[in-house]
Amino acid sequence: MFPFRLVNPDPSKPFTIGRKSDNVLQFDNLMVSRYHAVLNFTDGKWILQSLTQNSITMLNGKDVTTAILNDGDVILIGPRQLRATLRGADLTLLIMERETESDMQTVTLSTEWREIEIPGIGKAKCRRIVSRDARSSGSAEIKFAKAIVDESGKRTRTITVASGDACRFESAVVGFRNNDLLIEAQNSGFDVFAQNVNVFAGKKQLLKGIDFELPAGEILAIIGRSGQGKSSLLKMIQGINSCDKQSVVRIGGVDYRKNEIRRRIAILPQDPPLRPELTVEETILDGARSSMDVQNFKQDALARLEKFCELFGLSGRKHNLVKTLSGGEMRRVALARELMGNPGLVILDEPLSGLDPYNSRILCTHLKQLAFLGHTIILTTHSYEALQIANKVLVLHQGEEAFFGTVQAAYAHFNTNDPQALLTSITQSMAAEFHESYKHEQKMRESKYYFERTKLPRNFAYTVRITAKQWFRDKGRIAALFVQPAIIGFLLSQIFSDQSSLWTVAFAIILCANWFALSLSIREIVQEKDILRDKFRRGVSAISTLTAKCTLPIIFTMMQTAIVYAFISTRITPHPQIALIACVFACIAAPATTVGLFTSTLSKNTSQANAFLPLLIIPQVALAGALVPLDQMQPIGRALSSVIWSRYNQASLLNILLERKDDIFNAIFAIAIALSFYIVTAILLHKLKKPR
């Protein structure tokens, strides 16, 4: 996406456009006249009037002298493009900060190194390599000042471009021909090519033989009745569903499963996963942290945030919590969050579902603006309003392609001008007829794609901080963190006395600690799984995220257990060293927390995670050796107790309370169990980012 700005003309004054500085909107370009055009608001309408005879003034591709502006019109002032958004008398002009004429550079190469600059990549040196073959004009060698990566994420500083070939970068295409290096700036949108795509969920086939092509910067609407496979196609690109070996899906000329391509795709499900306890600003910046290079984040994130808030009408809501927003505002926040990393492809699943007509029109306007700025957009929809902004439409029927082409061609094919009749008129025979007549024989040539290497901001401390914000903004949770251990501690202090068995006291403390740790951790992953899957796909470290997710539950488990112990210690005689007690509490909290996070990773929803709590707590009660001594258990029970961390915690805490020397292996075994579950959970989280 190219840089942009928004301008709001004042209806009470003429809005002049030209090269001279006294114009309201100034363009410093010789192809723009000194006084080029003017916008006036008259009789409830905005009127565009050309003031020049020597330069170009166009509206939607046609020369104009005077014309009435409508919502979505594209104005061309010399080489500069403006897109109009109308809301009654309010006019907003979206101005692309780039000339429309070709940005082609031609650099004649010799065997000596020459300095060049590639848009979006930066400075580099290049030279011509002479071929030993007299019939060949050689190749170009390019050395970059900073390392770049190919579509698989492999780093390099040097590439070679053969004569007649070209390679693609995020914002440019570089080719070599006749000793000349050709560098052309392009928008960062990806073209999409799909041929004979068969989509599966496990072994079940959901879609068969899907073909389509979408140029960069255009909008594709996928429509069909419910259950026809619209979302299945998007989930394949997302990596949830799979395709067979005969399927070809290329994004930017590269296999859609390549890491660097996947990092540059924005995916918004029907109900975008958002953290309700974060503000709009925090949510959008969270998206920036998982998609922007650390230096770009420091320099540009806040400015980019302001622009997207202005573009999406969120400037007045930046400091509001997400949970206070309307459905339409939440989707705009989710879209702004995804766009912070400048994705080449934006995929939206039913973005208009559940929105009232007003919010639907607003979101459609924003999608058209994004396409104007260079983003490629694919959306599924039941809303016929989306057809008004789409460049192409793909109609699905019973898991097969019933039509692909322009919206106007779809109306002609189904012999209707009524958007609602498009779907109601589809029959299996019509779908088969189109499938026979539509021959998709073109094969997209594979492209070599290179990207600027992205080093994301540090993740561990940030994840701990953002998790803490969510916890402390939930008043019910904070109350539970402090009131729950106080109540439990008070009750236990009324049960125990200095005559009580320390074996039983230790067991009660350990049982409480396990409950605290499991209840704090068992929902931490599952409630954010979709958010985390998206972050890992973009390159965020699963290990640093998991470590951060362990941190707060362990700290608060130790604190809650200390509160319980403080109440009980007033009733028992032993008072061991606080450092030793803290070490035992850590050995209880660590394995219980990692097991809770492991269970959370395996669970499909929070209800399922909560259902596992008894299955985790009861073995700690039954197999720790407190209810039944280990030497009285059956062989299988004794074997199972060896992987129950409470067995080792029970021995350690009892030794500490009795002021005996503890066996170091009790701590080692507990930590080993914690480490084992930590490693397995990290592997499971890492797998979330991989496509199927």
mmCIF file with all atom_site columns, all heavy atoms in Angstrom, residues 546-568:
data_model
loop_
_atom_site.group_PDB
_atom_site.id
_atom_site.type_symbol
_atom_site.label_atom_id
_atom_site.label_alt_id
_atom_site.label_comp_id
_atom_site.label_asym_id
_atom_site.label_entity_id
_atom_site.label_seq_id
_atom_site.pdbx_PDB_ins_code
_atom_site.Cartn_x
_atom_site.Cartn_y
_atom_site.Cartn_z
_atom_site.occupancy
_atom_site.B_iso_or_equiv
_atom_site.pdbx_formal_charge
_atom_site.auth_seq_id
_atom_site.auth_comp_id
_atom_site.auth_asym_id
_atom_site.auth_atom_id
_atom_site.pdbx_PDB_model_num
ATOM 1   N N   . LEU A 1 546 ? 4.678  -18.490 24.977 1.00 0.00 ? 546 LEU A N   1
ATOM 2   C CA  . LEU A 1 546 ? 4.359  -19.482 25.996 1.00 0.00 ? 546 LEU A CA  1
ATOM 3   C C   . LEU A 1 546 ? 5.008  -19.125 27.326 1.00 0.00 ? 546 LEU A C   1
ATOM 4   O O   . LEU A 1 546 ? 4.385  -19.233 28.392 1.00 0.00 ? 546 LEU A O   1
ATOM 5   C CB  . LEU A 1 546 ? 4.810  -20.870 25.538 1.00 0.00 ? 546 LEU A CB  1
ATOM 6   C CG  . LEU A 1 546 ? 4.608  -22.013 26.532 1.00 0.00 ? 546 LEU A CG  1
ATOM 7   C CD1 . LEU A 1 546 ? 3.136  -22.158 26.902 1.00 0.00 ? 546 LEU A CD1 1
ATOM 8   C CD2 . LEU A 1 546 ? 5.149  -23.321 25.961 1.00 0.00 ? 546 LEU A CD2 1
ATOM 9   N N   . THR A 1 547 ? 6.264  -18.687 27.275 1.00 0.00 ? 547 THR A N   1
ATOM 10  C CA  . THR A 1 547 ? 6.959  -18.294 28.507 1.00 0.00 ? 547 THR A CA  1
ATOM 11  C C   . THR A 1 547 ? 6.233  -17.141 29.189 1.00 0.00 ? 547 THR A C   1
ATOM 12  O O   . THR A 1 547 ? 6.068  -17.125 30.415 1.00 0.00 ? 547 THR A O   1
ATOM 13  C CB  . THR A 1 547 ? 8.413  -17.897 28.196 1.00 0.00 ? 547 THR A CB  1
ATOM 14  O OG1 . THR A 1 547 ? 9.058  -18.963 27.483 1.00 0.00 ? 547 THR A OG1 1
ATOM 15  C CG2 . THR A 1 547 ? 9.187  -17.615 29.473 1.00 0.00 ? 547 THR A CG2 1
ATOM 16  N N   . ALA A 1 548 ? 5.786  -16.177 28.378 1.00 0.00 ? 548 ALA A N   1
ATOM 17  C CA  . ALA A 1 548 ? 5.039  -15.042 28.938 1.00 0.00 ? 548 ALA A CA  1
ATOM 18  C C   . ALA A 1 548 ? 3.717  -15.507 29.535 1.00 0.00 ? 548 ALA A C   1
ATOM 19  O O   . ALA A 1 548 ? 3.295  -15.019 30.596 1.00 0.00 ? 548 ALA A O   1
ATOM 20  C CB  . ALA A 1 548 ? 4.805  -14.002 27.855 1.00 0.00 ? 548 ALA A CB  1
ATOM 21  N N   . LYS A 1 549 ? 3.058  -16.460 28.864 1.00 0.00 ? 549 LYS A N   1
ATOM 22  C CA  . LYS A 1 549 ? 1.784  -16.964 29.371 1.00 0.00 ? 549 LYS A CA  1
ATOM 23  C C   . LYS A 1 549 ? 1.962  -17.751 30.671 1.00 0.00 ? 549 LYS A C   1
ATOM 24  O O   . LYS A 1 549 ? 1.026  -17.885 31.456 1.00 0.00 ? 549 LYS A O   1
ATOM 25  C CB  . LYS A 1 549 ? 1.118  -17.850 28.313 1.00 0.00 ? 549 LYS A CB  1
ATOM 26  C CG  . LYS A 1 549 ? 0.574  -17.091 27.118 1.00 0.00 ? 549 LYS A CG  1
ATOM 27  C CD  . LYS A 1 549 ? -0.593 -16.208 27.503 1.00 0.00 ? 549 LYS A CD  1
ATOM 28  C CE  . LYS A 1 549 ? -1.220 -15.517 26.325 1.00 0.00 ? 549 LYS A CE  1
ATOM 29  N NZ  . LYS A 1 549 ? -2.321 -14.606 26.727 1.00 0.00 ? 549 LYS A NZ  1
ATOM 30  N N   . CYS A 1 550 ? 3.165  -18.308 30.885 1.00 0.00 ? 550 CYS A N   1
ATOM 31  C CA  . CYS A 1 550 ? 3.450  -19.015 32.154 1.00 0.00 ? 550 CYS A CA  1
ATOM 32  C C   . CYS A 1 550 ? 3.694  -18.045 33.301 1.00 0.00 ? 550 CYS A C   1
ATOM 33  O O   . CYS A 1 550 ? 3.410  -18.370 34.462 1.00 0.00 ? 550 CYS A O   1
ATOM 34  C CB  . CYS A 1 550 ? 4.697  -19.886 31.988 1.00 0.00 ? 550 CYS A CB  1
ATOM 35  S SG  . CYS A 1 550 ? 4.499  -21.369 30.987 1.00 0.00 ? 550 CYS A SG  1
ATOM 36  N N   . THR A 1 551 ? 4.219  -16.873 32.986 1.00 0.00 ? 551 THR A N   1
ATOM 37  C CA  . THR A 1 551 ? 4.756  -15.991 34.011 1.00 0.00 ? 551 THR A CA  1
ATOM 38  C C   . THR A 1 551 ? 3.713  -15.537 35.025 1.00 0.00 ? 551 THR A C   1
ATOM 39  O O   . THR A 1 551 ? 3.877  -15.726 36.250 1.00 0.00 ? 551 THR A O   1
ATOM 40  C CB  . THR A 1 551 ? 5.427  -14.775 33.352 1.00 0.00 ? 551 THR A CB  1
ATOM 41  O OG1 . THR A 1 551 ? 6.458  -15.225 32.479 1.00 0.00 ? 551 THR A OG1 1
ATOM 42  C CG2 . THR A 1 551 ? 6.019  -13.850 34.407 1.00 0.00 ? 551 THR A CG2 1
ATOM 43  N N   . LEU A 1 552 ? 2.634  -14.912 34.559 1.00 0.00 ? 552 LEU A N   1
ATOM 44  C CA  . LEU A 1 552 ? 1.644  -14.378 35.498 1.00 0.00 ? 552 LEU A CA  1
ATOM 45  C C   . LEU A 1 552 ? 0.943  -15.467 36.306 1.00 0.00 ? 552 LEU A C   1
ATOM 46  O O   . LEU A 1 552 ? 0.774  -15.312 37.526 1.00 0.00 ? 552 LEU A O   1
ATOM 47  C CB  . LEU A 1 552 ? 0.625  -13.521 34.754 1.00 0.00 ? 552 LEU A CB  1
ATOM 48  C CG  . LEU A 1 552 ? 1.105  -12.132 34.319 1.00 0.00 ? 552 LEU A CG  1
ATOM 49  C CD1 . LEU A 1 552 ? -0.008 -11.372 33.637 1.00 0.00 ? 552 LEU A CD1 1
ATOM 50  C CD2 . LEU A 1 552 ? 1.625  -11.331 35.504 1.00 0.00 ? 552 LEU A CD2 1
ATOM 51  N N   . PRO A 1 553 ? 0.511  -16.583 35.680 1.00 0.00 ? 553 PRO A N   1
ATOM 52  C CA  . PRO A 1 553 ? -0.102 -17.629 36.518 1.00 0.00 ? 553 PRO A CA  1
ATOM 53  C C   . PRO A 1 553 ? 0.825  -18.148 37.608 1.00 0.00 ? 553 PRO A C   1
ATOM 54  O O   . PRO A 1 553 ? 0.372  -18.405 38.735 1.00 0.00 ? 553 PRO A O   1
ATOM 55  C CB  . PRO A 1 553 ? -0.438 -18.733 35.500 1.00 0.00 ? 553 PRO A CB  1
ATOM 56  C CG  . PRO A 1 553 ? -0.653 -18.013 34.222 1.00 0.00 ? 553 PRO A CG  1
ATOM 57  C CD  . PRO A 1 553 ? 0.351  -16.884 34.238 1.00 0.00 ? 553 PRO A CD  1
ATOM 58  N N   . ILE A 1 554 ? 2.120  -18.315 37.305 1.00 0.00 ? 554 ILE A N   1
ATOM 59  C CA  . ILE A 1 554 ? 3.047  -18.796 38.334 1.00 0.00 ? 554 ILE A CA  1
ATOM 60  C C   . ILE A 1 554 ? 3.194  -17.767 39.442 1.00 0.00 ? 554 ILE A C   1
ATOM 61  O O   . ILE A 1 554 ? 3.138  -18.095 40.644 1.00 0.00 ? 554 ILE A O   1
ATOM 62  C CB  . ILE A 1 554 ? 4.415  -19.129 37.699 1.00 0.00 ? 554 ILE A CB  1
ATOM 63  C CG1 . ILE A 1 554 ? 4.309  -20.385 36.832 1.00 0.00 ? 554 ILE A CG1 1
ATOM 64  C CG2 . ILE A 1 554 ? 5.476  -19.319 38.775 1.00 0.00 ? 554 ILE A CG2 1
ATOM 65  C CD1 . ILE A 1 554 ? 5.579  -20.727 36.080 1.00 0.00 ? 554 ILE A CD1 1
ATOM 66  N N   . ILE A 1 555 ? 3.370  -16.487 39.075 1.00 0.00 ? 555 ILE A N   1
ATOM 67  C CA  . ILE A 1 555 ? 3.542  -15.437 40.086 1.00 0.00 ? 555 ILE A CA  1
ATOM 68  C C   . ILE A 1 555 ? 2.302  -15.340 40.980 1.00 0.00 ? 555 ILE A C   1
ATOM 69  O O   . ILE A 1 555 ? 2.405  -15.308 42.221 1.00 0.00 ? 555 ILE A O   1
ATOM 70  C CB  . ILE A 1 555 ? 3.830  -14.086 39.402 1.00 0.00 ? 555 ILE A CB  1
ATOM 71  C CG1 . ILE A 1 555 ? 5.216  -14.101 38.767 1.00 0.00 ? 555 ILE A CG1 1
ATOM 72  C CG2 . ILE A 1 555 ? 3.718  -12.936 40.406 1.00 0.00 ? 555 ILE A CG2 1
ATOM 73  C CD1 . ILE A 1 555 ? 5.532  -12.880 37.934 1.00 0.00 ? 555 ILE A CD1 1
ATOM 74  N N   . PHE A 1 556 ? 1.117  -15.311 40.361 1.00 0.00 ? 556 PHE A N   1
ATOM 75  C CA  . PHE A 1 556 ? -0.097 -15.143 41.169 1.00 0.00 ? 556 PHE A CA  1
ATOM 76  C C   . PHE A 1 556 ? -0.457 -16.413 41.933 1.00 0.00 ? 556 PHE A C   1
ATOM 77  O O   . PHE A 1 556 ? -1.065 -16.332 43.012 1.00 0.00 ? 556 PHE A O   1
ATOM 78  C CB  . PHE A 1 556 ? -1.258 -14.693 40.275 1.00 0.00 ? 556 PHE A CB  1
ATOM 79  C CG  . PHE A 1 556 ? -1.257 -13.210 40.027 1.00 0.00 ? 556 PHE A CG  1
ATOM 80  C CD1 . PHE A 1 556 ? -0.672 -12.688 38.891 1.00 0.00 ? 556 PHE A CD1 1
ATOM 81  C CD2 . PHE A 1 556 ? -1.803 -12.333 40.947 1.00 0.00 ? 556 PHE A CD2 1
ATOM 82  C CE1 . PHE A 1 556 ? -0.655 -11.328 38.652 1.00 0.00 ? 556 PHE A CE1 1
ATOM 83  C CE2 . PHE A 1 556 ? -1.795 -10.962 40.722 1.00 0.00 ? 556 PHE A CE2 1
ATOM 84  C CZ  . PHE A 1 556 ? -1.215 -10.454 39.571 1.00 0.00 ? 556 PHE A CZ  1
ATOM 85  N N   . THR A 1 557 ? -0.086 -17.578 41.398 1.00 0.00 ? 557 THR A N   1
ATOM 86  C CA  . THR A 1 557 ? -0.289 -18.810 42.170 1.00 0.00 ? 557 THR A CA  1
ATOM 87  C C   . THR A 1 557 ? 0.556  -18.786 43.442 1.00 0.00 ? 557 THR A C   1
ATOM 88  O O   . THR A 1 557 ? 0.069  -19.146 44.534 1.00 0.00 ? 557 THR A O   1
ATOM 89  C CB  . THR A 1 557 ? 0.077  -20.040 41.324 1.00 0.00 ? 557 THR A CB  1
ATOM 90  O OG1 . THR A 1 557 ? -0.828 -20.142 40.232 1.00 0.00 ? 557 THR A OG1 1
ATOM 91  C CG2 . THR A 1 557 ? 0.015  -21.315 42.147 1.00 0.00 ? 557 THR A CG2 1
ATOM 92  N N   . MET A 1 558 ? 1.804  -18.370 43.311 1.00 0.00 ? 558 MET A N   1
ATOM 93  C CA  . MET A 1 558 ? 2.667  -18.271 44.494 1.00 0.00 ? 558 MET A CA  1
ATOM 94  C C   . MET A 1 558 ? 2.112  -17.254 45.485 1.00 0.00 ? 558 MET A C   1
ATOM 95  O O   . MET A 1 558 ? 2.126  -17.490 46.698 1.00 0.00 ? 558 MET A O   1
ATOM 96  C CB  . MET A 1 558 ? 4.081  -17.900 44.067 1.00 0.00 ? 558 MET A CB  1
ATOM 97  C CG  . MET A 1 558 ? 4.796  -18.991 43.266 1.00 0.00 ? 558 MET A CG  1
ATOM 98  S SD  . MET A 1 558 ? 6.439  -18.499 42.709 1.00 0.00 ? 558 MET A SD  1
ATOM 99  C CE  . MET A 1 558 ? 7.290  -18.309 44.278 1.00 0.00 ? 558 MET A CE  1
ATOM 100 N N   . MET A 1 559 ? 1.593  -16.143 44.973 1.00 0.00 ? 559 MET A N   1
ATOM 101 C CA  . MET A 1 559 ? 1.029  -15.126 45.866 1.00 0.00 ? 559 MET A CA  1
ATOM 102 C C   . MET A 1 559 ? -0.216 -15.654 46.579 1.00 0.00 ? 559 MET A C   1
ATOM 103 O O   . MET A 1 559 ? -0.364 -15.494 47.807 1.00 0.00 ? 559 MET A O   1
ATOM 104 C CB  . MET A 1 559 ? 0.673  -13.880 45.052 1.00 0.00 ? 559 MET A CB  1
ATOM 105 C CG  . MET A 1 559 ? 0.072  -12.746 45.873 1.00 0.00 ? 559 MET A CG  1
ATOM 106 S SD  . MET A 1 559 ? -0.948 -11.645 44.874 1.00 0.00 ? 559 MET A SD  1
ATOM 107 C CE  . MET A 1 559 ? -2.394 -12.670 44.596 1.00 0.00 ? 559 MET A CE  1
ATOM 108 N N   . GLN A 1 560 ? -1.113 -16.294 45.821 1.00 0.00 ? 560 GLN A N   1
ATOM 109 C CA  . GLN A 1 560 ? -2.339 -16.820 46.432 1.00 0.00 ? 560 GLN A CA  1
ATOM 110 C C   . GLN A 1 560 ? -2.026 -17.920 47.444 1.00 0.00 ? 560 GLN A C   1
ATOM 111 O O   . GLN A 1 560 ? -2.638 -17.984 48.523 1.00 0.00 ? 560 GLN A O   1
ATOM 112 C CB  . GLN A 1 560 ? -3.266 -17.355 45.343 1.00 0.00 ? 560 GLN A CB  1
ATOM 113 C CG  . GLN A 1 560 ? -3.881 -16.266 44.459 1.00 0.00 ? 560 GLN A CG  1
ATOM 114 C CD  . GLN A 1 560 ? -4.770 -16.853 43.379 1.00 0.00 ? 560 GLN A CD  1
ATOM 115 O OE1 . GLN A 1 560 ? -4.324 -17.676 42.573 1.00 0.00 ? 560 GLN A OE1 1
ATOM 116 N NE2 . GLN A 1 560 ? -6.021 -16.445 43.358 1.00 0.00 ? 560 GLN A NE2 1
ATOM 117 N N   . THR A 1 561 ? -1.079 -18.775 47.084 1.00 0.00 ? 561 THR A N   1
ATOM 118 C CA  . THR A 1 561 ? -0.693 -19.848 48.017 1.00 0.00 ? 561 THR A CA  1
ATOM 119 C C   . THR A 1 561 ? -0.061 -19.260 49.275 1.00 0.00 ? 561 THR A C   1
ATOM 120 O O   . THR A 1 561 ? -0.277 -19.770 50.398 1.00 0.00 ? 561 THR A O   1
ATOM 121 C CB  . THR A 1 561 ? 0.285  -20.817 47.336 1.00 0.00 ? 561 THR A CB  1
ATOM 122 O OG1 . THR A 1 561 ? -0.256 -21.235 46.084 1.00 0.00 ? 561 THR A OG1 1
ATOM 123 C CG2 . THR A 1 561 ? 0.528  -22.039 48.197 1.00 0.00 ? 561 THR A CG2 1
ATOM 124 N N   . ALA A 1 562 ? 0.690  -18.184 49.122 1.00 0.00 ? 562 ALA A N   1
ATOM 125 C CA  . ALA A 1 562 ? 1.298  -17.519 50.285 1.00 0.00 ? 562 ALA A CA  1
ATOM 126 C C   . ALA A 1 562 ? 0.224  -16.949 51.207 1.00 0.00 ? 562 ALA A C   1
ATOM 127 O O   . ALA A 1 562 ? 0.368  -16.980 52.440 1.00 0.00 ? 562 ALA A O   1
ATOM 128 C CB  . ALA A 1 562 ? 2.236  -16.414 49.813 1.00 0.00 ? 562 ALA A CB  1
ATOM 129 N N   . ILE A 1 563 ? -0.871 -16.425 50.611 1.00 0.00 ? 563 ILE A N   1
ATOM 130 C CA  . ILE A 1 563 ? -1.964 -15.899 51.440 1.00 0.00 ? 563 ILE A CA  1
ATOM 131 C C   . ILE A 1 563 ? -2.601 -17.029 52.252 1.00 0.00 ? 563 ILE A C   1
ATOM 132 O O   . ILE A 1 563 ? -2.865 -16.885 53.460 1.00 0.00 ? 563 ILE A O   1
ATOM 133 C CB  . ILE A 1 563 ? -3.017 -15.200 50.545 1.00 0.00 ? 563 ILE A CB  1
ATOM 134 C CG1 . ILE A 1 563 ? -2.423 -13.928 49.928 1.00 0.00 ? 563 ILE A CG1 1
ATOM 135 C CG2 . ILE A 1 563 ? -4.271 -14.867 51.345 1.00 0.00 ? 563 ILE A CG2 1
ATOM 136 C CD1 . ILE A 1 563 ? -3.328 -13.253 48.902 1.00 0.00 ? 563 ILE A CD1 1
ATOM 137 N N   . VAL A 1 564 ? -2.854 -18.149 51.580 1.00 0.00 ? 564 VAL A N   1
ATOM 138 C CA  . VAL A 1 564 ? -3.420 -19.308 52.289 1.00 0.00 ? 564 VAL A CA  1
ATOM 139 C C   . VAL A 1 564 ? -2.477 -19.753 53.408 1.00 0.00 ? 564 VAL A C   1
ATOM 140 O O   . VAL A 1 564 ? -2.910 -20.003 54.554 1.00 0.00 ? 564 VAL A O   1
ATOM 141 C CB  . VAL A 1 564 ? -3.686 -20.469 51.309 1.00 0.00 ? 564 VAL A CB  1
ATOM 142 C CG1 . VAL A 1 564 ? -4.075 -21.743 52.063 1.00 0.00 ? 564 VAL A CG1 1
ATOM 143 C CG2 . VAL A 1 564 ? -4.782 -20.093 50.314 1.00 0.00 ? 564 VAL A CG2 1
ATOM 144 N N   . TYR A 1 565 ? -1.185 -19.839 53.092 1.00 0.00 ? 565 TYR A N   1
ATOM 145 C CA  . TYR A 1 565 ? -0.204 -20.286 54.094 1.00 0.00 ? 565 TYR A CA  1
ATOM 146 C C   . TYR A 1 565 ? -0.133 -19.305 55.267 1.00 0.00 ? 565 TYR A C   1
ATOM 147 O O   . TYR A 1 565 ? 0.031  -19.717 56.427 1.00 0.00 ? 565 TYR A O   1
ATOM 148 C CB  . TYR A 1 565 ? 1.158  -20.437 53.443 1.00 0.00 ? 565 TYR A CB  1
ATOM 149 C CG  . TYR A 1 565 ? 2.252  -20.777 54.428 1.00 0.00 ? 565 TYR A CG  1
ATOM 150 C CD1 . TYR A 1 565 ? 2.350  -22.050 54.990 1.00 0.00 ? 565 TYR A CD1 1
ATOM 151 C CD2 . TYR A 1 565 ? 3.183  -19.818 54.819 1.00 0.00 ? 565 TYR A CD2 1
ATOM 152 C CE1 . TYR A 1 565 ? 3.336  -22.357 55.906 1.00 0.00 ? 565 TYR A CE1 1
ATOM 153 C CE2 . TYR A 1 565 ? 4.173  -20.111 55.728 1.00 0.00 ? 565 TYR A CE2 1
ATOM 154 C CZ  . TYR A 1 565 ? 4.255  -21.384 56.279 1.00 0.00 ? 565 TYR A CZ  1
ATOM 155 O OH  . TYR A 1 565 ? 5.230  -21.678 57.188 1.00 0.00 ? 565 TYR A OH  1
ATOM 156 N N   . ALA A 1 566 ? -0.279 -18.009 54.955 1.00 0.00 ? 566 ALA A N   1
ATOM 157 C CA  . ALA A 1 566 ? -0.205 -17.006 56.028 1.00 0.00 ? 566 ALA A CA  1
ATOM 158 C C   . ALA A 1 566 ? -1.321 -17.231 57.054 1.00 0.00 ? 566 ALA A C   1
ATOM 159 O O   . ALA A 1 566 ? -1.091 -17.089 58.270 1.00 0.00 ? 566 ALA A O   1
ATOM 160 C CB  . ALA A 1 566 ? -0.297 -15.602 55.427 1.00 0.00 ? 566 ALA A CB  1
ATOM 161 N N   . PHE A 1 567 ? -2.505 -17.573 56.600 1.00 0.00 ? 567 PHE A N   1
ATOM 162 C CA  . PHE A 1 567 ? -3.602 -17.861 57.530 1.00 0.00 ? 567 PHE A CA  1
ATOM 163 C C   . PHE A 1 567 ? -3.315 -19.126 58.322 1.00 0.00 ? 567 PHE A C   1
ATOM 164 O O   . PHE A 1 567 ? -3.481 -19.165 59.549 1.00 0.00 ? 567 PHE A O   1
ATOM 165 C CB  . PHE A 1 567 ? -4.916 -18.024 56.750 1.00 0.00 ? 567 PHE A CB  1
ATOM 166 C CG  . PHE A 1 567 ? -5.604 -16.730 56.421 1.00 0.00 ? 567 PHE A CG  1
ATOM 167 C CD1 . PHE A 1 567 ? -5.380 -16.106 55.208 1.00 0.00 ? 567 PHE A CD1 1
ATOM 168 C CD2 . PHE A 1 567 ? -6.474 -16.142 57.334 1.00 0.00 ? 567 PHE A CD2 1
ATOM 169 C CE1 . PHE A 1 567 ? -6.026 -14.914 54.897 1.00 0.00 ? 567 PHE A CE1 1
ATOM 170 C CE2 . PHE A 1 567 ? -7.113 -14.948 57.031 1.00 0.00 ? 567 PHE A CE2 1
ATOM 171 C CZ  . PHE A 1 567 ? -6.892 -14.326 55.808 1.00 0.00 ? 567 PHE A CZ  1
ATOM 172 N N   . ILE A 1 568 ? -2.874 -20.191 57.610 1.00 0.00 ? 568 ILE A N   1
ATOM 173 C CA  . ILE A 1 568 ? -2.646 -21.474 58.283 1.00 0.00 ? 568 ILE A CA  1
ATOM 174 C C   . ILE A 1 568 ? -1.486 -21.378 59.269 1.00 0.00 ? 568 ILE A C   1
ATOM 175 O O   . ILE A 1 568 ? -1.512 -22.015 60.344 1.00 0.00 ? 568 ILE A O   1
ATOM 176 C CB  . ILE A 1 568 ? -2.374 -22.570 57.233 1.00 0.00 ? 568 ILE A CB  1
ATOM 177 C CG1 . ILE A 1 568 ? -3.626 -22.807 56.378 1.00 0.00 ? 568 ILE A CG1 1
ATOM 178 C CG2 . ILE A 1 568 ? -1.938 -23.873 57.898 1.00 0.00 ? 568 ILE A CG2 1
ATOM 179 C CD1 . ILE A 1 568 ? -3.427 -23.800 55.258 1.00 0.00 ? 568 ILE A CD1 1
#
